[in-house]
Every structure is written in structure tokens, then in C-alpha cells.
């Protein structure tokens, strides 16, 4: 539905927002099928990183992780990217998933101040307790000045320009129609949920205040698609 622009947005997050260094330890939340984890792993490899399992990708979905593991292997990043099943609201325990999609026993997850960079793309909107997830990010983030939290998320455009109104109409009118057509009129619940979740998500400045309340002050908000997508860059207070 983004006409392929989502890959550009993710690449911008990795290249510009995270400000990766060779020795960084990166936590990618809501990793899904590991698109961002793979981009981070590739960038770290380009920078000459030698840290094993430098990227920890976390997601609650077994099937998404199974596909992600296959993609990590296809890109030759098995020793750089590790995918686990976990909850962004509580990262103290996780479950490792192997190449066959089998989950291991629960094991220790992210320790306090154990990661340098955190990324999350199109996931914070779906977390039941957003404040808890943001506090958990702050707990595991190293407090150094070089640490970063980069969150990419959808929101309802609020501008009154023609293109902003067009982007707003796309979310409220076209997305449900795409769902109806894609499911041949028999469902489309996922698309309806997408629209509802975007409508419920805070406006950019309101979400920035939520980050501030979690001791993650926002340094910059970068908007794409006339305000339909925003990239939040935060650092530990």
C-alpha cells in the first residue's frame, strides 16, 4: 500500500537516524520478517563490525520470525542478527527461534543498559501498553550520548494542504477499500484494524511527549508522505 516507499523509510531510519558505529549493539523491536534487522546487520558489516549477534530482533509472532530467520540466512547474516520471540513491554525473557522455526526454552533477554541503539518500525502503534514499552526501551538502553531510539510509525495527517488531505483520505477511505477488494468482499479485518489503529495513535507532538515521559526526549521528528509516516529520533535523558 505504500507503493514500495516503506523500504525507503526503513533505510532512512537505519542510515540517518541510528547513526550506527562498528561496535554498536542494536535492538530491533517488532522486527516482523527482519527487514530492519537485516538492513542494520548489512550496515554493521559494511562498517567492519565484528561483534557476534550484534543485532537482536524481537517479535511476538512465530510465523513472522520463521520467515525472518530464512531471510537472515539468505543474506549471510546468521552470526550478526539473532531473532527471538519476545514482548516489547517486557524484554527480560525471550525465546530463541531456530532455522526450522522451532522455539527454544525461555532464556534471558535484554539486560539493563545493554544496547546502544533501538529501532522499531510500524510496531509501537500495536503495543497494548505503550508507556510500559517505552519505559522498557529506556531500561535496556545504554545512557551514553551516542545512544539512540528510532521509531517509525504511521499517523493521521493533520495538515490542510491538498496533499495532506489526500493522504488523510487514503488512510480513512482507500485503505478499507483495498481490504474489501483484496479479500473479495469477505473480510478485510486486518485493513480495518490498520485504519482504526492509525486513528487512535497520538499526533506526533503528543507521542513525543510520551517519549519524554519515559526519559527519552525527542531530538527530531521527520515526516514522510505528507505526515502519514513519522520518524522519531530520541536519546536517553
Amino acid at each position: 500500500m505504500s507503493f514500495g516507499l516503506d523500504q525507503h523509510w526503513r533505510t532512512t531510519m537505519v542510515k540517518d537516524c541510528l547513526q550506527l558505529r562498528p561496535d554498536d549493539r542494536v535492538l530491533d523491536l517488532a522486527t516482523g520478517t527482519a527487514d530492519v534487522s537485516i538492513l542494520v546487520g548489512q550496515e554493521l558489516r559494511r562498517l567492519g563490525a565484528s561483534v557476534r549477534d550484534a543485532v537482536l530482533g524481537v517479535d511476538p509472532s512465530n510465523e513472522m520470525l520463521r520467515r525472518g530467520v530464512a531471510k537472515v540466512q539468505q543474506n549471510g547474516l546468521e552470526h550478526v542478527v539473532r531473532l527471538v520471540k519476545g514482548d516489547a513491554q517486557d524484554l527480560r525473557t525471550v525465546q530463541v527461534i531456530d532455522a526450522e522455526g522451532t522455539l527454544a526454552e525461555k532464556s534471558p533477554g535484554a539486560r539493563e543498559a545493554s544496547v546502544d541503539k533501538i529501532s522499531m518500525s510500524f510496531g509501537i502503534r500495536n503495543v497494548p501498553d505503550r508507556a510500559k514499552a517505552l519505559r522498557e526501551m529506556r531500561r535496556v538502553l545504554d545512557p551514553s550520548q551516542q545512544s539512540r531510539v528510532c521509531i517509525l510509525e504511521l499517523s493521521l495527517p493533520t495538515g490542510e494542504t491538498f496533499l495532506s488531505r489526500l493522504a488523510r483520505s487514503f488512510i480513512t477511505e482507500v485503505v478499507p477499500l483495498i481490504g474489501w477488494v483484496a479479500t473479495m468482499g469477505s473480510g478485510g479485518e486486518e485493513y480495518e484494524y490498520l485504519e482504526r489503529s492509525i486513528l487512535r495513535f497520538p499526533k506526533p507532538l503528543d507521542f513525543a511527549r510520551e517519549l519524554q515521559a519515559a526519559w527519552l526526549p525527542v531530538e527530531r521528528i521527520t515526516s514522510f508522505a505528507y505526515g502519514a509516516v513519522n520518524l522519531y529520533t530520541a536519546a536517553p535523558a
Side-chain angles (χ1 to χ4, degrees):
M1 289 187 297
S2 71
F3 307 103
L5 289 172
D6 58 300
Q7 288 301 321
H8 166 68
W9 301 330
R10 290 184 175 98
T11 300
T12 300
M13 177 171 68
V14 172
K15 297 276 190 179
D16 298 340
C17 180
L18 288 177
Q19 300 179 24
L20 293 170
R21 299 169 301 165
D23 59 345
D24 274 342
R25 301 153 297 168
V26 183
L27 173 65
D28 180 37
L29 296 170
T31 192
T33 58
D35 285 349
V36 171
S37 289
I38 289 169
L39 286 173
V40 172
Q42 289 171 335
E43 182 65 10
L44 288 175
R45 185 166 58 185
R46 186 188 70 79
L47 292 170
S50 58
V51 178
R52 185 180 177 89
D53 295 337
V55 184
L56 180 66
V58 180
D59 199 89
S61 168
N62 291 4
E63 181 58 23
M64 298 282 268
L65 288 169
R66 186 186 66 79
R67 297 183 185 186
V69 167
K71 288 166 62 176
V72 168
Q73 293 175 333
Q74 290 166 9
N75 284 273
L77 292 168
E78 303 95 315
H79 302 304
V80 181
V81 176
R82 182 165 67 106
L83 301 185
V84 298
K85 182 177 182 178
D87 183 350
Q89 301 164 110
D90 186 354
L91 297 163
R92 290 173 295 181
T93 58
V94 297
Q95 286 181 281
V96 177
I97 185 166
D98 64 20
E100 286 71 42
T102 304
L103 287 168
E105 293 295 321
K106 288 186 176 181
S107 60
R111 302 184 310 278
E112 186 172 340
S114 62
V115 299
D116 304 294
K117 307 291 170 61
I118 298 175
S119 59
M120 191 175 196
S121 55
F122 309 115
I124 192 65
R125 175 174 41 85
N126 302 317
V127 176
D129 190 338
R130 222 171 22 246
K132 187 175 182 181
L134 296 178
R135 290 195 300 270
E136 187 69 346
M137 290 183 199
R138 182 63 186 86
R139 180 185 71 83
V140 304
L141 187 67
D142 188 281
S144 74
Q145 291 183 342
Q146 289 75 34
S147 295
R148 290 288 180 278
V149 174
C150 300
I151 298 177
L152 192 62
E153 192 50 271
L154 298 162
S155 65
L156 189 69
T158 58
E160 290 305 322
T161 66
F162 170 75
L163 290 174
S164 293
R165 292 198 301 270
L166 188 64
R168 189 159 59 242
S169 296
F170 181 82
I171 291 171
T172 59
E173 298 174 24
V174 178
V175 167
L177 178 61
I178 290 173
W180 188 87
V181 172
T183 59
M184 302 180 67
S186 63
E189 291 84 1
E190 295 90 347
Y191 295 87
E192 292 175 4
Y193 169 77
L194 175 61
E195 179 199 2
R196 291 195 306 271
S197 65
I198 294 172
L199 293 175
R200 287 196 303 262
F201 194 71
K203 294 177 182 179
L205 291 179
D206 291 333
F207 181 56
R209 292 187 188 98
E210 292 185 10
L211 283 158
Q212 173 73 51
W215 296 93
L216 292 169
V218 172
E219 298 179 340
R220 183 173 68 252
I221 302 174
T222 306
S223 294
F224 305 101
Y226 306 101
V229 177
N230 292 285
L231 174 59
Y232 302 85
T233 304

